[in-house]
Amino acid sequence: DAGVIQSPRHEVTEMGQEVTLRCKPISGHDYLFWYRQTMMRGLELLIYFNNNVPIDDSGMPEDRFSAKMPNASFSTLKIQPSEPRDSAVYFCASRRTGFVNSPLHFGNGTRLTVT
Amino acid sequence: GNSVTQMEGPVTLSEEAFLTINCTYTATGYPSLFWYVQYPGEGLQLLLKATKADDKGSNKGFEATYRKETTSFHLEKGSVQVSDSAVYFCALSGHAGNMLTFGGGTRLMVKP
């Protein structure tokens, strides 16, 4: 079990640039979540997918953010254009259906810095 | 809606001290309750869980009991170690079970 894999681990970009974060969930997991963590706001759920279909994107802060899951083994979170206030650690997490017996598995995150 | 409230940190303890991190929740129905731990530079990982009232979750010397009458799920450990230094998150899953609602996290610092 390789765990949830996120790339890159660190991303530094300039304001206005497009940023793409990537996630590979654990094989067999049918739920995928994107979270953002900051000191000020803590852990925020941005969007989650079930069987590759977006279920709830109410946490996506604005239209600059978009997420896709083209297949069961890959998801992206894109920010275009990026702004300094987007600086945060972005986590991807996955789990198998049946929450009580299936914990949420997190990747190690992507630390995004927008200058 | 659902919400989780944790004690503010940081909590600073000496090695072998007793730990309590308070967690209270607001939820409809009968949620499942969780504690997650985040070590520096890593994602969150499940520490323990409880699925119904009066259940006690335990792992690695940590314990928490699901108290429905006080809507609480306090985390305890009898003797902390330096390696327990991390951020601890209390969370609940609602009736639908699809999403977790997290508390704000409590940073624990254990000094030798």
Side-chain angles (χ1 to χ4, degrees), chain A residues 19-98:
Chain A
V19 175
T20 299
L21 312 181
R22 296 172 175 79
C23 174
K24 177 179 170 55
I26 292 173
S27 177
H29 284 193
D30 51 351
Y31 280 88
L32 183 139
F33 302 78
W34 282 100
Y35 286 89
R36 177 171 69 176
Q37 186 178 38
T38 62
M39 290 294 292
M40 292 298 294
R41 297 185 176 183
L43 200 60
E44 303 173 277
L45 176 64
L46 301 178
I47 185 172
Y48 78 94
F49 296 82
N50 178 220
N51 291 323
N52 313 337
V53 176
I55 302 302
D56 186 346
D57 65 354
S58 59
M60 296 286 262
E62 46 198 279
D63 292 345
R64 297 185 297 106
F65 286 70
S66 62
K68 294 181 179 180
M69 193 166 185
N71 57 62
S73 58
F74 184 66
S75 177
T76 59
L77 178 67
K78 184 177 293 186
I79 308 173
Q80 166 64 19
S82 58
E83 297 183 3
R85 59 192 168 122
D86 302 329
S87 297
V89 181
Y90 291 81
F91 288 103
C92 176
S94 70
R95 71 167 180 89
R96 196 186 306 272
T97 298

Side-chain angles (χ1 to χ4, degrees), chain B residues 29-92:
Chain B
Y30 303 94
S32 294
L33 301 174
F34 305 83
W35 277 100
Y36 278 77
V37 59
Q38 183 181 27
Y39 298 104
E42 299 182 9
L44 283 69
Q45 54 186 278
L46 180 67
L47 180 60
L48 53 85
K49 67 174 187 256
T51 59
K52 60 182 186 296
D54 300 325
D55 265 3
K56 177 185 285 187
S58 62
N59 186 25
K60 299 181 181 179
F62 291 89
E63 294 181 339
T65 301
Y66 189 164
R67 301 288 188 199
K68 188 166 177 62
E69 63 276 14
T70 55
T71 61
S72 65
F73 193 53
H74 305 321
L75 182 68
E76 297 182 335
K77 186 174 185 182
S79 176
V80 294
Q81 306 300 312
V82 173
S83 57
D84 294 327
S85 299
V87 181
Y88 293 81
F89 291 87
C90 186
L92 68 83

Side-chain angles (χ1 to χ4, degrees), chain B residues 7-22 62 75-86 88 106-112:
Chain B
M7 61 189 293
E8 296 243 353
V11 174
T12 303
L13 297 173
S14 297
E15 206 165 23
E16 299 184 3
F18 184 86
L19 168 71
T20 300
I21 299 178
N22 290 339
F62 291 89
L75 182 68
E76 297 182 335
K77 186 174 185 182
S79 176
V80 294
Q81 306 300 312
V82 173
S83 57
D84 294 327
S85 299
Y88 293 81
T106 302
R107 181 175 299 278
L108 170 65
M109 299 171 59
V110 181
K111 297 184 176 181

